[in-house]
Structures are given as structure tokens and as C-alpha cells.
Amino acid sequence: MSELRTPEVEDLLTVFSKIQDKDDIFLLLEDLFTIREIRETSQRLAVARQLDAGNSYASIEKATGASATTIARVSKCLGYGAGGYTMALNILDDARKGK
């Protein structure tokens, strides 16, 4: 277990994995994170989606308002990260297809 996977993080993972309703997840997000943190996290997912679609940094910056630094960070995670963004994009793709 990595240094980040503390018992407290494990508790958070358990909570997220058990919540089925999107509105309930949103309630938890509102309590856990600031509005800015929710927006920034959501923005990163939008950046990942656009990177995955092959869009340029300039077009992503214009479309999302994300900085070049954020886009580069997300790009690095897509290429060399733990696979979380790819998993999330697959989930979104499946949801669009009705799976």
C-alpha cells in the first residue's frame, strides 16, 4: 500500500464505492470540497476527454479555460499515470452508449 493509502483514504474510497446515486455523491462532494476544487477537478476530466480526442493544447485551453500547465499535467497522467483518467473516460464513454 502506498504512503497515500492511509486508513482515512481507505474509508473515503469505501464511501465513494458504496454510493450509487449521483445526487448523493454530489452532496458528499459539496461537503468535502470547495466549489473551486469541484470545478477544477471537473475541468481536469474535461481536459482529459479533449486530450483523448486528440485536440491541441490551444483548443483545449480555449474550450475549458484550463492553463497550459494543467493540460500538461493531465496529459502526463494520461500517458504515464495510474490509469485513473483512462478508466474515467471509459466509464463516461460506456454511459453515453447506454452500457
Side-chain angles (χ1 to χ4, degrees):
M1 179 160 50
S2 79
E3 208 172 283
L4 183 58
R5 295 287 294 259
T6 64
E8 294 82 8
V9 170
E10 290 296 323
D11 286 347
L12 183 61
L13 295 172
T14 298
V15 169
F16 273 116
S17 71
K18 299 296 180 185
I19 300 174
Q20 299 293 316
D21 184 78
K22 284 197 279 188
D23 291 330
D24 289 341
I25 295 169
F26 187 77
L27 292 174
L28 181 58
L29 290 178
E30 279 192 305
D31 285 348
L32 288 173
F33 303 112
T34 65
I35 292 168
R36 180 178 178 176
E37 289 168 332
I38 293 170
R39 286 184 179 148
E40 288 174 351
T41 303
S42 300
Q43 180 189 63
R44 289 181 194 139
L45 189 55
V47 167
R49 182 182 292 156
Q50 295 216 13
L51 285 167
D52 190 59
N55 295 331
S56 70
Y57 276 36
S59 68
I60 295 169
E61 195 169 355
K62 185 175 180 181
T64 66
S67 68
T69 302
T70 296
I71 297 167
R73 184 181 313 122
V74 172
S75 179
K76 182 178 177 183
C77 287
L78 274 171
Y80 306 103
Y85 279 119
T86 300
M87 178 192 59
L89 294 174
N90 288 337
I91 289 168
L92 291 173
D93 192 40
D94 286 349
R96 283 197 184 93
K97 294 176 183 174
K99 292 182 181 179

